[in-house]
Amino acid sequence: MIANANENVKLMFVCSPGNPTAKAIPMSEIEKLATSSYQGIVVVDEAYVDFSAKGSASTLVDKYPNVVVLQTLSKAFGLAGIRLGFCIGPPDIIQLMNNVKAPYNVNSLTSEVAMNAMKNIDTLDKNVKELLAERDVVAGRLIELDFVTKVYPSDSNFLLFRVKNKAQEMYKLMADRGVVTRYRGNELHCEECIRVTIGKKEENEQFLVELKKAWDEIGVKV
């Protein structure tokens, strides 16, 4: 990243955890960017950070004046419908953002829902703990399937896994049957990969059943 960042690059975005990799970037690597020869702002997108045990780059904001962190209530809080995110950064950068944002850009109803959510962190922690336990179960079940060649480690609320072949066809068949995953085979290093978001126990079980059925009907024929 540093090698490709010339004087025209003003913002460097780092997704941690990333999508679809589900991998969090070590804090030491973000610090390397912040202290490198790069003269712009390092923006760390932490949409999925509540599912990660690696911590938040928000702890670096007071230490490095060129680090800005973006978070959202859309993922762990389950509040995608209110379309609310927030930025953590040095006062001068926050002031610049306030100078150019639209007036009254967050309505009172959104604010109320967001503040109520922030007052219920115990509920958030409970829900995240349950989801991570289910993530481990699903990962274990996927590893046991002979047509799954790799399950990638996850710091998020989803899993990326690779099948032997026909990933796109399997994805489409499952979608037709009401189980929506994401085909990621067109992305770099993600050949024959599918991404699945972890849901409730019964939803995860349905996904595993439909995945095996899709392989039996499509993948195994090759």
Side-chain angles (χ1 to χ4, degrees):
M1 291 177 71
I2 296 299
N4 292 311
N6 57 39
E7 66 276 6
N8 296 318
V9 178
K10 307 304 181 184
L11 300 174
M12 182 182 294
F13 285 86
V14 180
C15 296
S16 180
N19 182 4
T21 64
K23 183 173 178 58
I25 306 299
M27 213 65 64
S28 58
E29 294 300 312
I30 296 175
E31 289 198 75
K32 286 180 183 179
L33 294 176
T35 57
S36 70
S37 59
Y38 173 61
Q39 297 298 304
I41 298 171
V42 178
V43 183
V44 187
D45 183 344
E46 293 188 337
Y48 298 96
V49 72
D50 296 302
F51 304 104
S52 173
K54 303 290 177 63
S56 169
S58 59
T59 58
L60 304 178
V61 169
D62 287 337
K63 189 175 181 181
Y64 303 106
N66 57 339
V67 173
V68 168
V69 177
L70 306 180
Q71 294 188 12
T72 178
L73 272 67
S74 294
K75 306 303 180 183
F77 282 93
L79 294 173
I82 68 171
R83 315 305 296 170
L84 182 69
F86 55 92
C87 177
I88 305 168
D92 57 338
I93 295 178
I94 299 300
Q95 184 59 58
L96 285 172
M97 295 177 71
N98 277 327
N99 290 346
V100 298
K101 76 174 182 66
Y104 311 110
N105 61 314
V106 179
N107 65 67
S108 59
L109 294 178
T110 293
S111 296
E112 183 178 356
V113 172
M115 288 188 289
N116 286 337
M118 291 295 187
K119 294 175 183 177
N120 289 278
I121 298 300
D122 288 344
T123 300
L124 171 70
D125 291 341
K126 175 179 175 293
N127 292 340
V128 168
K129 183 178 180 180
E130 292 175 355
L131 184 143
L132 296 183
E134 276 297 305
R135 186 187 69 190
D136 292 342
V137 170
V138 174
R141 296 277 295 278
L142 286 172
I143 291 170
E144 294 173 353
L145 299 174
D146 60 0
F147 60 87
V148 174
T149 61
K150 186 175 181 64
V151 179
Y152 289 86
S154 176
D155 295 308
S156 189
N157 66 329
F158 57 84
L159 290 167
L160 182 72
F161 64 96
R162 174 174 282 120
V163 296
K164 289 181 178 179
N165 51 54
K166 299 293 183 180
Q168 188 168 22
E169 290 85 344
M170 292 172 66
Y171 147 75
K172 289 180 178 178
L173 183 58
M174 288 190 292
D176 289 341
R177 293 171 173 171
V179 174
V180 180
T181 58
R182 291 289 182 267
Y183 171 67
R184 289 295 179 251
N186 293 327
E187 299 190 33
L188 185 65
H189 304 312
C190 292
E191 297 81 5
E192 301 296 351
C193 281
I194 295 172
R195 197 205 84 172
V196 59
T197 299
I198 303 301
K200 297 178 181 178
K201 184 176 182 178
E202 57 272 20
E203 294 171 330
N204 299 331
E205 188 61 39
Q206 183 184 5
F207 153 70
L208 291 165
V209 169
E210 292 299 335
L211 178 69
K212 287 184 280 188
K213 286 172 61 177
W215 173 256
D216 289 341
E217 295 179 30
I218 296 177
V220 76
K221 295 178 182 178
V222 179

